[in-house]
């Protein structure tokens, strides 16, 4: 199964509307430096074991620079999630949470 790519504007719109899980797959140290509002931190290396704990709703996946996100979103899609890759936090044009 393939995960679609969402541009930041569409991802932001969906985040504002609610009903999605925003998933940060970076390390806990990277997450602590700042993250998207409401994001849940689940490092990429723990994804396969912990994905079952995610709510059954669309998942917006991001990483730091855009390399890990496509892999993680694709993995989630193959597990049956409605998953979207929203790119890397370095290119995110909206506010972050500390």
């Amino acid at each position: 199964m393939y995960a679609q790519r969402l541009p930041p504007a569409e991802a932001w719109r969906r985040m504002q509307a609610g009903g999605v899980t925003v998933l940060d797959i970076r390390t806990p140290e990277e997450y602590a430096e700042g993250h998207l509002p409401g994001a849940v931190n689940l490092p990429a290396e723990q994804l396969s074991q912990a994905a079952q704990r995610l709510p059954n709703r669309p998942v917006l996946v991001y990483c730091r620079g855009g390399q890990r996100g496509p892999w993680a979103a694709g993995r989630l899609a193959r597990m049956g999630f409605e998953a979207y890759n929203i790119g890397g936090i370095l290119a995110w044009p909206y506010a972050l949470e500390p």
Side-chain angles (χ1 to χ4, degrees), residues 60-80:
L60 308 181
V61 180
Y62 74 94
C63 58
R64 181 176 183 275
Q67 302 302 311
R68 294 172 280 184
W71 171 84
R75 177 77 180 122
L76 289 170
R78 287 187 298 279
M79 294 172 76

Side-chain angles (χ1 to χ4, degrees), residues 6-96:
L6 284 184
E10 177 61 16
W12 183 249
R13 186 191 69 73
R14 290 185 187 206
M15 289 168 64
Q16 297 301 304
V20 297
T21 297
V22 180
L23 188 63
D24 183 324
I25 61 159
R26 300 175 302 152
T27 66
E29 295 79 21
E30 289 173 310
Y31 180 83
E33 293 173 358
H35 51 273
L36 274 59
V40 174
N41 184 226
L42 178 57
E45 59 273 1
Q46 298 173 13
L47 185 65
S48 294
Q49 299 85 358
Q52 298 80 0
R53 295 191 308 247
L54 293 173
N56 187 17
R57 60 186 185 182
V59 182
L60 308 181
V61 180
Y62 74 94
C63 58
R64 181 176 183 275
Q67 302 302 311
R68 294 172 280 184
W71 171 84
R75 177 77 180 122
L76 289 170
R78 287 187 298 279
M79 294 172 76
F81 288 92
E82 182 182 340
Y84 300 91
N85 170 33
I86 63 173
I89 196 170
L90 295 178
W92 186 253
Y94 304 103
L96 301 176

